Amino acid sequence: MERYAHISFPFPIIFSCFFFFTIFFIHGLLASSSQLNQTQVEIMRNLSKTLNSLTGSNSEWNTTNPDPCSWERVTCSPQSSPDAAVTQLSFSGLGLSTTKNSSFSTLLFDLICGLNTLEHLDLSLNSITTLPESFFADCVGLSGLKSLNLSYNGLDGALGNFSNFAGLETLDLSFNHLTGPVHNQFDSLSRLKSLNLSSNRMVGTVQSLLGGGKVLTLEELVLSSNNFSGNIPNSVSEYANLTLLDLSQNSFNGSLPNGFGEFPKLETLLLSSNNLVGDIPASLSGIATLSRFAANENKFSGTIPGGLTKYMRILDLSYNQLGGEIPSDLLSPPSLESVDLTGNHLEGAIPANLSQGLYRLRLGGNLLNGTIPEAIGLLSGLKYLELEGNKLDSGIPSQIGDCENLTLLNLADNRLRGGIPKELGNLRQLVELELQMNNLSGGIPNEIFQLSSLSTLNLSRNSFSGEISSAISGLKKLTNLDLNDNMFFGSIPSSINNLNNLIELQLGNNNLSGTVPPMPSSLTIALNLSSNLFGGSIPSYLGSLSELEVLDLSHNNFSGEVPNSLTKLQSLTLLVLSYNRLSGVLPQFPPYVNVITNGNVDLIGTNDGTGTVTKKKRSSLMIIILAIIGAFLGLGLIAAVLLYVFSKRFYRVEDEGIEISENPPQIVDGCFVTSNSIHRSAIDFSKAMEAVSDPRNVTLKTRFCTYYKAAMPNGTSYSVKKLNWSDKSVPSGTHEKFGQELESLGRLSSSNVMVPLAYVLTEDSAYLFYENAHEGTLFEFLHRSKENILDWSSRYSIALGVAQGLTFLHGCAQPVLLLDLSTLTIHLKSTTEPQVGDIELCKVIDPSKSTGSLSTVAGSVGYIPPEYAYTMRLTMSGNVYSFGVILLELLTGKPPVSEGVELAKWALSYSTRRDQREQILDPRVSKASLGVRSQMLSVLKVALACVNLSPEARPKMRHVLSMLFNAK
Ligand SMILES: *[C@@H]1O[C@H](CO)[C@@H](O)[C@H](O)[C@H]1NC(C)=O
Ligand SMILES: *[C@@H]1O[C@H](CO)[C@@H](O)[C@H](O)[C@H]1NC(C)=O
Ligand SMILES: *[C@@H]1O[C@H](CO)[C@@H](O)[C@H](O)[C@H]1NC(C)=O
Ligand SMILES: *[C@@H]1O[C@H](CO)[C@@H](O)[C@H](O)[C@H]1NC(C)=O
């Protein structure tokens, strides 16, 4: 940087710069005096003062320029002409809060009312909780206002009357806490085209809104996610201009009125998640503009009218009570792209006439029988095919192998017969293949092992047989493999160890035999070898699966002692050893491991004894060997050797799993990032390296890092974090680049982010220094401590703090994304002050250089957004997903994965019906009061939005933050 400061600019450049600057300056002065008239300039000045006192200190409105028309967030028109006037104000996301100072907020709205030329006012994404009475009663100046956006605020109470804003065309009040019914508030808005009341708490019928036929100009009406009830009135069809009608997620009941469907311009009709009954009106098929229709999660019955999809692109009728056959023309119109009929009572065969535009076809959970049409092979754009849970009883047509864009193929739980066609091996995009619960047989064709994108393969509960080929290692991205309940035989190929993304391996209830080969260390969720014919001793190398949570070896012929190494499985929660021929004394496992040992006659299953038998036996073997050597070397030497070997032996056994080295790591480079002189004088790099070479100083291990406590000569302690370069995809030439990255991170300042103070590089690792403000991780507080349950107010401030930290990181000029965001990487300074840790990982680990899929490099199980398996790209919306999982942990008290089920998926499945949502809250805190419960439900809404399966649908972090603020 400094080098450039010495370069001098040639004179002509300086001169012309000066020249232009002067021109601009003069121009600026002239312009500012020729624009707004004095009244408006005065109002704008006062507005800027008022506004800045209502916003948080971090987002002041910059109004340094004397001409208000040049301020950010202000639009004047006509531009720079003598009669310019303020037409548009955009105060979105400024941190405006009306609760702090109500007289200022009244003043704010009074000032705005004085701008009688205003056409567009955007106040979205703030913390406006009430609008002053005077705004509705006396604001006569805004009759020319065309659009008003108050979405994402905390507006509560009933809606005021908008009669003073007669010119409004667009009114957005979505994502607030508005209550009460709609009566006549909008009646005088004779120009209203777009009204959005989505995501509030409004109740009552919509009789007065849609019944009186008063605002017939409406083009877009969004009432979703409220608690509106009653019938959808007959007169709704008088709204002939409607292009969008969204009534989803309410409690509307009754059947659709006669004549429903006479909307000449309707493009989108959403009725999802209500209690609607009766038939799907056939008249809908006559709307030539209707491209999207969703009526899922209601109680519609009867049959699906023929021709319904004549003009449609997207149809969703899932989870109703529709019966009869699928009309033969339903799936054929050429413009059709996506059809979801899951969860009805449809019967008969799948129509063979299929639109070639289809990319999604979901017919699961019906009573369909017959064959899978071969014509599916013509759908070259098909990405998702789900036919599970029917009574299909054909073979799998080989033509499916022609759908080269297929990423999900789910044919589970049918009556399919025959083998897997080898043509499925052509599906190079396939990520998930679900064939479980059928009558399929034969071996797995080798072509299947060429599916290089495949991440989940479930063949469980069929009659497959044959040996598992060593070609299986071709499934490079495989994460979940389930072959349970088949008749596979032979031994497990040793190439299984090459599946280095595998996190779950289910081989239970087959006829597999032989010894168990080394398994990939990526295994996390479960290794299930139960009910097979495995024999020999349990290999001690299973003890290296340091992230494994469930190990089931039951119902086999394992014999000998239980290896001590299994006690070092740091993540283990369940170990099933029952019904084998194990003997000896069971080693001592940590108290949180549930060890089941019944059905082993010779195993002494004390789980509280000394459990050191294995060690003693090996040690005595060692003594014999050493004694023989000793006979040659003389007694004095024996003593020395024995002493050395013993000390080493016991040391190793103690600390297996935590890497140890006898000598402190050699410092290659050590640098300060902080400029704080207190830290600079306190931190002693070589003392710290001594501390990290002693495993007793380990305070925490996460997926990518180990934390140590290091005491400095002056008595203060620091937290030192070790990053392992070795097996991760660290960019080359790293050392220098790493230093630069850390220095830029060190300049960040947010009280909710763990910012490094210094770092040390060694040959194979990097060590980062932090203030030792470590009370423990959020994980420990939520899931490890049984006595001190965090109350809701702590959990809420933790949620806010983490959201603030993330919003800050995502908002940096160069946004910082988190590779591993989980409750284990959130550190607590106190029970209300969280800090986001491990912020440097995505700079250090380059997922694109990894051989595996991103989902195995990025993050911890349970927090990984589903799209990472497909996209290989770390994104902000991916971080939002992980944050949603953290919110769910705070709300439910449950860990991110339990019994193999991800918390996010569980919560999503549980919460489709709003009346069930309350049941998933942690009863230990939700019982506290009605207020707590309702706040938790609001936060749950936010969490569910964050874990939306579609990354595009997830809110941005700053929206999340504002929604959380408003949940209070
Ligand atoms: C300034 O302009 C506004 C809007 O154009 C107008 O209502 C007002 O009367 C003007 N004031 C003066 C002093 O000209
Ligand atoms: C305010 O805006 C001016 C000119 O638009 C700019 O030079 C100045 O840096 C800004 N100040 C802040 C604090 O952003
Ligand atoms: C209102 O503001 C929100 C948040 O900025 C935005 O998403 C929404 O599209 C706006 N509404 C309208 C009708 O423009
Ligand atoms: C495979 O399918 C079975 C039966 O539906 C299910 O229980 C199991 O969890 C699935 N396995 C995986 C790895 O998803």
Side-chain angles (χ1 to χ4, degrees):
M1 289 292 258
E2 272 170 34
R3 250 179 297 150
Y4 296 103
H6 298 296
I7 298 172
S8 56
F9 289 105
F11 175 74
I13 293 182
I14 293 182
F15 178 76
S16 49
C17 283
F18 178 73
F19 179 75
F20 281 114
F21 179 76
T22 315
I23 289 201
F24 272 116
F25 188 66
I26 290 171
H27 180 81
L29 277 182
L30 287 176
S32 77
S33 58
S34 74
Q35 285 194 342
L36 286 186
N37 78 19
Q38 211 44 49
T39 324
Q40 292 213 330
V41 171
E42 202 65 33
I43 294 177
M44 290 304 289
R45 292 223 178 103
N46 287 331
L47 196 57
S48 80
K49 279 183 220 144
T50 314
L51 205 66
N52 281 342
S53 63
L54 282 170
T55 59
S57 54
N58 52 347
S59 51
E60 292 243 316
W61 185 26
N62 185 348
T63 54
T64 37
N65 192 306
D67 172 18
C69 287
S70 71
W71 298 350
E72 271 177 53
R73 303 173 175 275
V74 178
T75 308
C76 296
S77 85
Q79 271 180 346
S80 57
S81 111
D83 35 52
V86 177
T87 55
Q88 187 167 345
L89 293 177
S90 167
F91 296 150
S92 177
L94 257 184
L96 269 171
S97 167
T98 52
T99 42
K100 286 184 206 133
N101 196 327
S102 66
S103 58
F104 266 116
S105 86
T106 307
L107 182 60
L108 173 85
F109 283 97
D110 285 352
L111 287 166
I112 291 176
C113 282
L115 293 168
N116 59 7
T117 52
L118 200 62
E119 292 175 2
H120 305 281
L121 176 59
D122 184 356
L123 294 167
S124 64
L125 287 160
N126 284 294
S127 302
I128 300 172
T129 53
T130 46
L131 295 173
E133 293 267 322
S134 58
F135 187 60
F136 290 106
D138 311 324
C139 185
V140 287
L142 292 187
S143 58
L145 193 67
K146 288 185 183 154
S147 78
L148 174 59
N149 193 343
L150 283 162
S151 67
Y152 296 99
N153 277 287
L155 287 174
D156 55 20
L159 257 180
N161 191 305
F162 285 84
S163 56
N164 277 331
F165 307 91
L168 272 183
E169 293 173 5
T170 303
L171 178 57
D172 191 343
L173 296 166
S174 60
F175 293 92
N176 282 289
H177 300 163
L178 295 167
T179 54
V182 174
H183 36 90
N184 60 0
Q185 294 98 322
F186 309 111
D187 285 3
S188 47
L189 303 183
S190 59
R191 299 186 184 165
L192 197 62
K193 289 186 181 153
S194 169
L195 176 61
N196 191 344
L197 298 177
S198 170
S199 299
N200 280 286
R201 299 166 185 171
M202 303 191 68
V203 296
T205 68
V206 290
Q207 208 62 37
S208 59
L209 182 62
L210 291 176
K214 286 171 190 131
V215 205
L216 293 177
T217 45
L218 270 180
E219 293 171 11
E220 299 184 342
L221 178 61
V222 181
L223 303 180
S224 57
S225 295
N226 278 286
N227 213 359
F228 288 119
S229 55
N231 289 329
I232 298 174
N234 276 339
S235 44
V236 63
S237 46
E238 290 168 30
Y239 288 75
N241 290 323
L242 278 178
T243 59
L244 165 64
L245 179 59
D246 183 357
L247 305 178
S248 57
Q249 301 212 39
N250 280 289
S251 304
F252 288 112
N253 52 33
S255 54
L256 294 180
N258 272 341
F260 193 83
E262 288 161 14
F263 300 99
K265 299 179 184 168
L266 197 62
E267 292 165 12
T268 305
L269 174 60
L270 309 177
L271 305 173
S272 322
S273 293
N274 281 290
N275 298 318
L276 297 167
V277 299
D279 289 336
I280 302 281
S283 47
L284 287 176
S285 60
I287 311 177
T289 47
L290 189 60
S291 85
R292 178 170 173 213
F293 174 44
N296 50 306
E297 292 174 64
N298 279 287
K299 294 177 183 143
F300 286 109
S301 55
T303 57
I304 302 175
L308 182 66
T309 49
K310 194 154 53 168
Y311 305 107
M312 284 182 196
R313 261 183 339 106
I314 303 176
L315 173 68
D316 189 349
L317 298 177
S318 59
Y319 302 103
N320 279 289
Q321 294 160 10
L322 297 165
E325 301 203 355
I326 301 176
S328 61
D329 59 354
L330 192 80
L331 305 178
S332 63
S335 50
L336 201 59
E337 293 173 6
S338 169
V339 174
D340 192 346
L341 305 177
T342 310
N344 282 287
H345 308 312
L346 299 168
E347 47 194 35
I350 300 173
N353 204 348
L354 301 169
S355 156
Q356 298 209 10
L358 278 173
Y359 74 87
R360 173 180 280 127
L361 181 58
R362 306 185 67 202
L363 305 177
N366 281 291
L367 305 166
L368 300 169
N369 56 27
T371 61
I372 300 174
E374 294 175 356
I376 281 185
L378 301 173
L379 309 184
S380 56
L382 194 65
K383 282 186 88 137
Y384 311 97
L385 179 60
E386 291 163 87
L387 306 177
E388 82 285 358
N390 280 293
K391 298 175 174 175
L392 301 170
D393 55 6
S394 61
I396 301 173
S398 59
Q399 286 85 348
I400 291 185
D402 295 337
C403 302
E404 48 189 35
N405 283 306
L406 210 56
T407 59
L408 169 61
L409 177 57
N410 188 349
L411 305 177
D413 193 9
N414 276 290
R415 297 170 181 173
L416 299 172
R417 289 172 276 114
I420 303 178
K422 63 180 192 313
E423 287 81 0
L424 296 193
N426 299 334
L427 301 173
R428 291 305 157 86
Q429 310 286 327
L430 199 63
V431 174
E432 234 175 280
L433 178 56
E434 312 257 4
L435 300 177
Q436 69 271 21
M437 302 168 82
N438 278 293
N439 300 325
L440 297 165
S441 55
I444 309 175
N446 269 343
E447 286 81 357
I448 295 299
F449 299 133
Q450 293 162 13
L451 293 172
S452 51
S453 305
L454 198 67
S455 145
T456 301
L457 176 59
N458 198 340
L459 303 180
S460 64
R461 297 172 68 181
N462 278 288
S463 302
F464 288 111
S465 58
E467 300 201 27
I468 302 173
S469 157
S470 67
I472 196 163
S473 58
L475 298 173
K476 298 229 172 323
K477 293 200 178 152
L478 199 64
T479 57
N480 304 71
L481 176 61
D482 193 339
L483 304 180
N484 281 349
D485 303 302
N486 280 289
M487 296 180 295
F488 289 107
F489 55 81
S491 53
I492 304 177
S494 60
S495 66
I496 196 110
N497 200 17
N498 299 338
L499 294 177
N500 50 20
N501 292 311
L502 199 63
I503 58 178
E504 177 176 14
L505 180 56
Q506 301 279 356
L507 298 175
N509 201 16
N510 279 286
N511 298 320
L512 296 164
S513 57
T515 54
V516 180
M519 290 287 167
S521 60
S522 51
L523 280 175
T524 310
I525 296 177
L527 172 56
N528 176 7
L529 303 177
S530 65
S531 300
N532 278 289
L533 307 168
F534 292 110
S537 53
I538 298 174
S540 65
Y541 43 68
L542 292 183
S544 64
L545 302 175
S546 60
E547 291 173 24
L548 190 64
E549 291 169 13
V550 174
L551 176 57
D552 190 346
L553 302 174
S554 62
H555 293 278
N556 276 292
N557 290 323
F558 287 112
S559 56
E561 289 169 352
V562 177
N564 203 44
S565 65
L566 295 190
T567 64
K568 302 297 190 257
L569 292 171
Q570 294 165 6
S571 310
L572 200 65
T573 56
L574 176 62
L575 174 62
V576 192
L577 300 171
S578 31
Y579 298 100
N580 277 291
R581 295 188 284 120
L582 298 165
S583 55
V585 177
L586 186 70
Q588 186 169 12
F589 286 88
Y592 52 84
V593 184
N594 184 7
V595 186
I596 301 173
T597 58
N598 59 314
N600 287 284
V601 190
D602 296 330
L603 186 67
I604 303 169
T606 57
N607 206 8
D608 51 1
T610 49
T612 49
V613 169
T614 337
K615 229 184 323 187
K616 277 188 193 144
K617 273 208 174 154
R618 290 222 192 115
S619 308
S620 40
L621 186 69
M622 194 78 68
I623 291 175
I624 296 168
I625 298 169
L626 288 173
I628 296 167
I629 300 171
F632 292 97
L633 294 181
L635 275 174
L637 200 58
I638 287 187
V641 171
L642 259 183
L643 218 70
Y644 176 71
V645 172
F646 267 101
S647 67
K648 229 179 144 175
R649 169 96 230 140
F650 283 113
Y651 199 30
R652 277 267 149 74
V653 171
E654 283 284 312
D655 302 301
E656 245 167 26
I658 306 169
E659 282 163 56
I660 55 148
S661 55
E662 284 107 280
N663 300 317
Q666 285 289 306
I667 299 177
V668 175
D669 194 7
C671 284
F672 286 101
V673 178
T674 177
S675 53
N676 182 324
S677 59
I678 299 177
H679 296 311
R680 280 172 167 259
S681 63
I683 292 176
D684 177 334
F685 290 139
S686 43
K687 201 83 194 159
M689 289 305 102
E690 280 169 32
V692 302
S693 61
D694 182 347
R696 281 172 304 189
N697 289 327
V698 173
T699 55
L700 170 71
K701 276 194 79 153
T702 67
R703 182 104 195 266
F704 301 104
C705 319
T706 308
Y707 282 83
Y708 302 84
K709 183 177 177 180
M712 292 296 134
N714 77 350
T716 51
S717 290
Y718 286 86
S719 205
V720 179
K721 176 168 83 178
K722 177 184 176 190
L723 297 173
N724 283 327
W725 306 121
S726 43
D727 54 334
K728 312 290 185 236
S729 334
V730 180
S732 57
T734 301
H735 278 193
E736 193 183 342
K737 185 154 167 280
F738 182 68
Q740 290 165 1
E741 298 284 9
L742 275 192
E743 261 151 48
S744 73
L745 290 177
R747 281 193 290 269
L748 300 180
S749 110
S750 156
S751 59
N752 295 114
V753 173
M754 259 177 100
V755 176
L757 304 171
Y759 65 92
V760 160
L761 300 177
T762 63
E763 208 40 64
D764 55 356
S765 303
Y767 296 85
L768 274 56
F769 290 68
Y770 300 92
E771 272 184 273
N772 191 14
H774 185 81
E775 279 271 315
T777 61
L778 180 53
F779 183 88
E780 291 164 289
F781 272 82
L782 274 181
H783 308 308
R784 281 278 148 86
S785 125
K786 293 265 180 317
E787 307 84 48
N788 304 319
I789 296 161
L790 288 176
D791 64 6
W792 175 244
S793 78
S794 300
R795 296 188 195 203
Y796 180 73
S797 22
I798 291 170
L800 271 187
V802 176
Q804 269 160 339
L806 283 176
T807 308
F808 172 80
L809 291 169
H810 284 185
C812 295
Q814 292 202 324
V816 179
L817 298 182
L818 291 142
L819 190 65
D820 187 15
L821 175 59
S822 73
T823 44
L824 262 177
T825 61
I826 305 294
H827 302 252
L828 296 186
K829 280 162 76 179
S830 73
T831 53
T832 53
E833 296 170 285
Q835 284 196 318
V836 180
D838 290 359
I839 60 171
E840 72 294 327
L841 285 183
C842 67
K843 310 273 181 189
V844 181
I845 296 167
D846 181 355
S848 67
K849 297 254 170 63
S850 151
T851 49
S853 73
L854 180 59
S855 62
T856 50
V857 186
S860 306
V861 174
Y863 299 92
I864 303 167
E867 73 275 9
Y868 277 11
Y870 302 71
T871 58
M872 292 294 288
R873 218 156 40 83
L874 200 61
T875 57
M876 293 203 202
S877 60
N879 279 182
V880 171
Y881 180 94
S882 311
F883 177 70
V885 177
I886 294 176
L887 283 184
L888 287 174
E889 285 180 75
L890 289 165
L891 288 164
T892 63
K894 288 183 187 299
V897 181
S898 39
E899 289 156 16
V901 179
E902 292 187 14
L903 180 60
K905 302 210 171 117
W906 176 80
L908 281 175
S909 71
Y910 222 85
S911 58
T912 47
R913 301 299 317 181
R914 262 193 294 173
D915 44 347
Q916 291 192 349
R917 285 194 180 173
E918 202 159 319
Q919 294 169 25
I920 74 179
L921 302 180
D922 189 343
R924 297 172 301 177
V925 291
S926 69
K927 283 211 183 94
S929 74
L930 212 65
V932 163
R933 206 145 54 237
S934 96
Q935 212 185 91
M936 288 177 82
L937 284 172
S938 308
V939 174
L940 181 59
K941 248 187 177 173
V942 182
L944 292 172
C946 292
V947 297
N948 196 311
L949 293 181
S950 151
E952 299 82 35
R954 291 173 208 146
K956 302 266 176 299
M957 226 30 243
R958 72 189 173 100
H959 295 201
V960 173
L961 181 59
S962 119
M963 290 190 276
L964 283 177
F965 263 124
N966 292 334
K968 185 112 187 148

